[in-house]
């Protein structure tokens, strides 16, 4: 142990095996719960400090981050850094991703960049930390040494990470060097999980497999109590996300656990995140920080086996693969509650997000029977000229000579009184009243003309009360391309048919007069977008109607993204698509027994039905 001061950074392990730092505010929140001890409950609700992290909970006993809507579990750790480094000064280095937002570098990379910046170096080559990037401080850019692709970087000030003073695990103090001598190890613990960890780590170090695990009773040379001291290897340095690089992630080196004399005093487990204070003197669990992602997965699978083999009663808690996110969330919460109560839990491996099908060669891609062509483009369609709004609406209305004594739901004035609309003056009298021919709803004609002038002016009208559409409704979708074809793979829930793949491509551009901000540029994030339908009779019906919707510019619109908050960008327009091929973790995948019926109803709400395909041909 080493008496010193350090800043504490809480980090989580992502799917690429890299430790990603939580923000300073979130780290302060987690640290406050840790220091509060058992009275804080042993779990941290991250949404209390950052609304973007609302689905996430950290269970301090198992040191896992749990996502409530998908049931995904990820390891977390408590790491220490020099107070004079970037996290100790509140300095955050970030790079601009493809979506135009800013992503912080992993802590080790950010510290390296900040050190060079303070030394007033003109640039820093990140090859020394294992990445093929150069940071140019004069242009504040990141350059990929292999592709020469450049990204913007920035340096900003944030809160300083929380500070701790006192006895720190030597292997976690700075500089984190694997060559530092470790303290004498305490007797290893004989609990099933510690036995499991030791077996897996020993197998990893020797290049073998974990092998069959024996119950603790069969391992006579394991002392009955104590804690295992592990000299941790430094965690993997995160790599800036760059679609042009697909380098392998280097596994974290594992070390063989050396058993020491049972007379050594028990202490804090080195390399593991600290447990909440006052935890009844229980020894810490073996650290998982020195295992790479593959071995963490092996560990999760083997844990169930060792518990069952040891005769400990267990309750299997599975991440169910239903279309609703409620099932995995309940499973994860159950696991956390049982773990907090000291009950052993068998957790299955979390389901993986499968966005795309296996690779398909060009020869395997086929056209869809009954559907002409394999792609079509759309450009802006101009409204029919030569007709005034009054002339357009005249064919949808019947004049009402004696209006009922009720409100016009557009201006909220009585129908027996003149219209209360105060906008541009239509060329009709404000006291005229008309009834829509199909649905029978009654309005001031003055109000209907004003509503038409404020819309797309495409020759169609939609009743503001019941949404009945008169004429052919069109949208404001920007120009683009829609491709569609068959691929020889089946969707979950549709094993007896192939799959229709739809690919939407829309480039960024300038907004037209029908868009929210005419003359201003708009972005198009995430294109090309891949969507999937089963190649069944109903699936082909949906495709044909989607083609009509595409031609009428109703699939996309320009607005504000509900997921990123970005304005003036291409967004979906009330017709849901399935963008996950082999999973349904986000609700946008399969199986979903009601999806085809739901999307048919959404298309009908846009005025698109089977009759529409005939109208398009005419």
């Amino acid at each position: 142990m080493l008496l010193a001061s350090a800043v504490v950074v809480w980090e989580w392990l992502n799917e690429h095996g890299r430790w990603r730092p939580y923000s300073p505010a979130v780290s302060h929140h987690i640290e406050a719960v840790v220091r509060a001890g058992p009275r804080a409950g042993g779990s941290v609700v991250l949404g209390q400090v950052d609304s973007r992290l609302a689905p996430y909970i950290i269970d301090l006993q198992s040191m896992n981050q749990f996502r409530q809507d998908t049931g995904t579990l990820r390891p977390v750790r408590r790491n220490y850094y020099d107070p004079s480094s970037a996290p100790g000064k509140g300095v955050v280095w970030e790079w601009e991703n493809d979506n135009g937002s800013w992503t912080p570098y992993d802590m080790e990379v950010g510290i390296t960049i900040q050190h060079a910046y303070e030394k007033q170096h003109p640039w820093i080559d990140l090859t020394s930390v294992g990445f093929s990037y150069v940071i140019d401080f004069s242009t504040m850019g990141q350059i990929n040494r292999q592709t020469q692709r450049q990204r913007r970087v920035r340096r900003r000030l944030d809160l300083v990470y929380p500070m701790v003073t006192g006895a720190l695990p030597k292997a976690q103090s700075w500089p984190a060097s694997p060559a530092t001598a470790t303290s004498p190890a305490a007797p290893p613990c004989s609990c099933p999980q510690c036995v499991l960890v030791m077996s897996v780590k020993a197998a990893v170090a020797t290049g073998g497999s974990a092998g069959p695990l024996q119950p603790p009773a069969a391992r006579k040379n394991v002392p009955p109590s104590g804690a295992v001291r592990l000299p941790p290897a430094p965690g993997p340095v995160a790599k800036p996300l760059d679609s042009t690089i697909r380098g392998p992630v280097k596994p974290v080196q594992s070390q063989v656990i050396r058993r020491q004399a049972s007379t050594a005093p028990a202490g804090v487990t080195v390399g593991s995140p600290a447990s909440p204070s006052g935890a009844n003197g229980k020894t810490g669990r073996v650290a998982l920080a020195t295992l790479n992602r593959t071995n963490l997965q092996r560990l999760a699978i083997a844990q169930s086996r060792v518990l069952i083999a040891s005769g400990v009663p267990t309750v299997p808690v599975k991440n169910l693969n239903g279309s609703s996110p409620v099932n995995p969330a309940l499973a994860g919460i159950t696991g956390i509650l049982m773990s907090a109560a000291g009950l052993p839990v068998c957790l299955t491996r979390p389901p993986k997000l499968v966005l795309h099908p296996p690779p398909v060669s060009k020869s395997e891609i086929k056209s869809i029977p009954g559907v002409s062509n394999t792609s079509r483009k759309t450009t802006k369609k101009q409204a029919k000229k030569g007709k005034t709004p009054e002339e357009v609406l005249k064919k949808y209305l019947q004049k009402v000579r004696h209006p009922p004594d009720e409100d016009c739901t557009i201006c909220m004035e009585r129908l027996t009184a003149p219209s209360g609309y105060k906008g541009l003056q239509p060329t009709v009298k404000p006291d005229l009243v008309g009834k829509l021919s199909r649905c029978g709803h009654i309005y001031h004609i003055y109000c209907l003309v004003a509503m038409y002038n404020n819309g797309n002016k495409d020759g169609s009208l939609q009743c503001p009360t019941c949404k009945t559409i008169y004429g052919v409704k069109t949208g404001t979708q920007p120009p683009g391309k829609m491709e569609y074809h068959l691929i020889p793979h089946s969707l979950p829930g549709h094993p007896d048919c192939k799959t229709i793949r739809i690919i939407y491509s829309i480039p960024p551009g300038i907004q037209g007069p029908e868009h929210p901000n005419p003359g201003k540029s708009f972005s198009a994030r995430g294109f090309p977008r891949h969507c999937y339908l089963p190649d069944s009779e109903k699936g082909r019906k949906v495709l044909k109607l989607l083609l009509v919707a595409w031609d009428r510019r109703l699939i996309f619109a320009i607005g504000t993204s509900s997921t990123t908050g970005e304005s003036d960008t291409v967004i979906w327009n009330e017709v849901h698509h399935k963008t996950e091929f082999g999973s349904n973790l986000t609700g946008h995948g399969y199986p979903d027994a009601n999806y085809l019926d739901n999307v048919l109803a959404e298309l009908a709400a846009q005025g698109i039905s089977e009759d529409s395909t005939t109208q398009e041909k005419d």
Side-chain angles (χ1 to χ4, degrees), residues 223-307:
S225 63
V228 180
R229 291 182 182 271
L230 301 178
V237 179
K239 185 176 183 178
L241 298 179
D242 191 329
S243 60
T244 61
I245 292 294
R246 288 287 183 265
V249 178
K250 297 182 180 179
V252 182
Q253 294 180 352
S254 301
Q255 303 182 31
V256 182
I257 300 174
R258 296 192 293 271
R259 298 180 182 175
Q260 304 292 336
S262 60
T263 56
V268 179
T269 304
V270 177
S272 65
S275 300
S277 59
N280 299 325
K282 293 182 179 179
T283 57
R285 291 177 179 265
V286 176
L288 300 182
T290 56
L291 291 176
N292 61 18
R293 182 168 180 257
T294 302
N295 292 311
L296 282 170
Q297 293 175 343
R298 291 171 55 192
L299 182 62
I301 297 172
Q303 183 173 10
S304 297
R305 297 175 182 170
V306 72
L307 289 174

Side-chain angles (χ1 to χ4, degrees), residues 92 190 294 328 458 465:
V92 179
S190 61
T294 302
D458 58 356
T465 300

Side-chain angles (χ1 to χ4, degrees), residues 197-229:
V197 173
M198 289 188 293
S199 301
V200 172
K201 292 172 82 60
V204 171
T206 57
S209 60
L213 296 171
Q214 301 178 8
R219 302 175 64 88
K220 297 181 180 179
N221 58 339
V222 178
S225 63
V228 180
R229 291 182 182 271

Side-chain angles (χ1 to χ4, degrees), residues 414-474:
R414 307 299 286 182
L415 290 169
T416 53
S419 169
Y421 185 77
K422 303 299 182 184
L424 297 175
Q425 302 297 318
T427 58
V428 294
K429 295 180 179 180
D431 56 351
L432 292 180
V433 175
K435 180 175 71 173
L436 292 173
S437 58
R438 288 167 52 196
C439 64
H441 289 109
I442 302 175
Y443 306 94
H444 290 116
I445 297 178
Y446 190 93
C447 294
L448 288 173
V449 172
M451 185 181 73
Y452 180 85
N453 281 329
N454 289 330
N456 202 23
K457 296 189 282 289
D458 58 356
S460 70
L461 179 72
Q462 189 165 16
C463 174
T465 300
C466 65
K467 307 304 179 184
T468 298
I469 295 174
Y470 295 81
V472 177
K473 178 182 178 181
T474 61

Side-chain angles (χ1 to χ4, degrees), residues 532-546:
Y532 304 95
L533 291 169
D535 183 33
S536 60
E537 181 179 355
K538 187 177 288 187
R540 294 183 187 180
K541 175 181 176 181
V542 169
L543 173 65
K544 292 177 182 178
L545 297 185
L546 287 176

Side-chain angles (χ1 to χ4, degrees), residues 465-528:
T465 300
C466 65
K467 307 304 179 184
T468 298
I469 295 174
Y470 295 81
V472 177
K473 178 182 178 181
T474 61
T476 60
Q477 173 182 292
K481 183 179 181 181
M482 176 182 179
E483 300 175 77
Y484 41 94
H485 49 249
L486 283 181
I487 58 174
H489 299 291
S490 299
L491 293 166
H494 299 274
D496 300 328
C497 60
K498 297 179 181 179
T499 296
I500 299 171
R501 179 167 62 185
I502 304 171
I503 303 175
Y504 294 112
S505 300
I506 294 180
I510 304 298
Q511 298 182 52
E514 75 275 25
H515 294 135
N517 296 296
K520 186 177 179 180
S521 62
F522 67 87
S523 61
R525 311 293 185 189
F527 287 94

